[in-house]
Amino acid sequence: MLSPEKNARTLSRRLEVPRALRAFVRARESSFLFLGAGVGAFAGLVVAAMSLAVSELHAVFFGLERTQRLSALEAMDPSRALIVPTLGGLVFGLGLLLVARWRPAREVDAIEANALHGGRMSLIGSVIVALQTVWSSGVGASVGLEAGYTQLGSGVASWIGRAFHLRRRDLRTLVGCGSAGAIAGAFGAPIAGAFYAFELIIGSYSAATLAPVGLAALVGYLVAHVFEPSALGIGTLYVSHVGGQDLAVASAVGIAGAAVGISIMRGVALCESLLNRLRLPPFLRPALGGLIVGLLACISPQVLSSGHGALQISSVLERPLRDIALVFVLKALASVVSLGVGFRGGLFFASLLLGALGGRIFCRCFIGTVPGPGARSPCLFHHRHGGALGLGHRRPAHNDVHCARDHGGFLADRRRADCGDHIGTGDSRDVWIFIRDVAVSFTRRDHPQRG
C-alpha cells in the first residue's frame, strides 16, 4: 500500500507542468494568488456537481422531483423509507469491502495531510471518499456532504500543488484554499470558508495566507452560487442593542449546544462500541444502520439525508413544541447511527438543523419565564440563538462566522425589521468589503521570492 507521500508523488509525475511555468508561479506572489483562485473555482464546481449527483439519486430512489428536497417531505411511503436506506447501506458496505482489498489503509483527510504529510493527499483516495459521501447521502443516511466537498477540493489542490513542485508551506496553503472554496460554496459563506481553512486546515492565521485563502473562498462561493443560488432558508432580525440579559441567554444556549454536541459525538463512539460487541461484520453494519434510519424516517422524513429541506421548513412552519422536539431527537439519533455504522459524511448540516430546532425549543420554553426585551423577541431567540445550538467543532471563530452567515448576518441587507420580518439577501456589500480586505492584505505585505 502506497503512503500518501508516494501516492501523491506518483500522480504528480503524471501531471507535471513545464519548468518555466513552475518557476513563474514559485517566483511571484500574484501567480500563487491566481493558482489559489483556480483551486477555489474547482472546489465550487465540486460542490455543485456533488449536490446535483445527490439530487439525482434522490429522484431515482425516492421518486422526487428535481426541485424537491428529501428532508422537506411531510410524509413518505414506508416501503421506500425502509428499503432504500437498507439496500443502499448493503451496497455501501460491499463497496467498502472491495475498496479495502485495494486500498486497506484509511484515507488521509486535509487536516491530517497538512499536519503530518506536508499537504500531500491522494487524489484517488479523495475521489473515493467523495463518491462514498454522495452515495451515503443519496440513499438517505443522515450525513452531510461537507466532508466529501472538502476532501475532493483539498485533494485536487494537493495534486495541483505537487505538479507545480510547490514548497511545503505553499502546498499546505493551497490545500487550505481547496477546503475554503468547498466550505464557502457549500454554505454560501466565503468568510466562514476562510476561517475554516485558517483554523482547521492550516492551523494558524497569517498575512501571507490571507490573500490566497480568502480569494479561493470567495471564488468558490461565487462559482457554486451560479449553479445553486438558493439559500439555506434561515432569516434573522436587525438587532440594534444587545444587553446583559441577551448575553446571559446566549451563554446559556451556547452551553446547551456544547452539551448536545458532546452527547452526539459520544453517541457515535458508543454506537461503534456496541457494534463491535455484537461482532457484526463491518460490511453489514451500514445495512443495519440504514434500516434504523428508515424506521426513524417512517416517523419523520426530516431525518433523512443532510437536512437541507428540513432546515428550510423549520423556519417557516409553526409546529407544536412536541413535534419539534420529536424531530430534534430523531435527527440526532439518525446522525449518530449513520456515522456509527460507517456511512461517509459530516455533521455540519445536521448541526445547523439541530440548532434551528433547538433554538425554537428554547424560544418556546423561554418566552414567559423571563421578563424584559428578550421575552418579547421570540424570533430573535429562534433564529439568532438557534445557530449557537449547532454542534461545536472546537473552532469558535469559524462557528460564529458560519452561524452569522447562515442566519443572514453576512451578505444581507442591514435593514431594521420588526419581529415578524426577516432580513433580505439582495445586498452584496459585504462581499466587496471582503474583497477589499483581501486586496489590502496582499498589497501591504512584502513579496519574498519563492525559490
Side-chain angles (χ1 to χ4, degrees), residues 64 67-75 301-304 307-313 317 319:
L64 303 182
T67 57
Q68 284 183 300
R69 295 281 193 180
L70 178 61
S71 56
L73 297 178
E74 292 295 328
Q302 283 79 46
V303 305
L304 293 173
H308 285 64
L311 183 61
Q312 294 178 3
I313 65 174
L317 296 183
R319 296 184 172 185

Side-chain angles (χ1 to χ4, degrees), residues 35-49:
L35 189 62
V39 168
F42 184 85
L45 291 175
V46 166
V47 171

Side-chain angles (χ1 to χ4, degrees), residues 34 38 175 187 211 226 269 280 284 298 308 338 356 401:
F34 284 109
V175 170
F187 296 97
V226 170
L280 187 68
L284 291 179
C298 291
H308 285 64
S338 297
V401 176

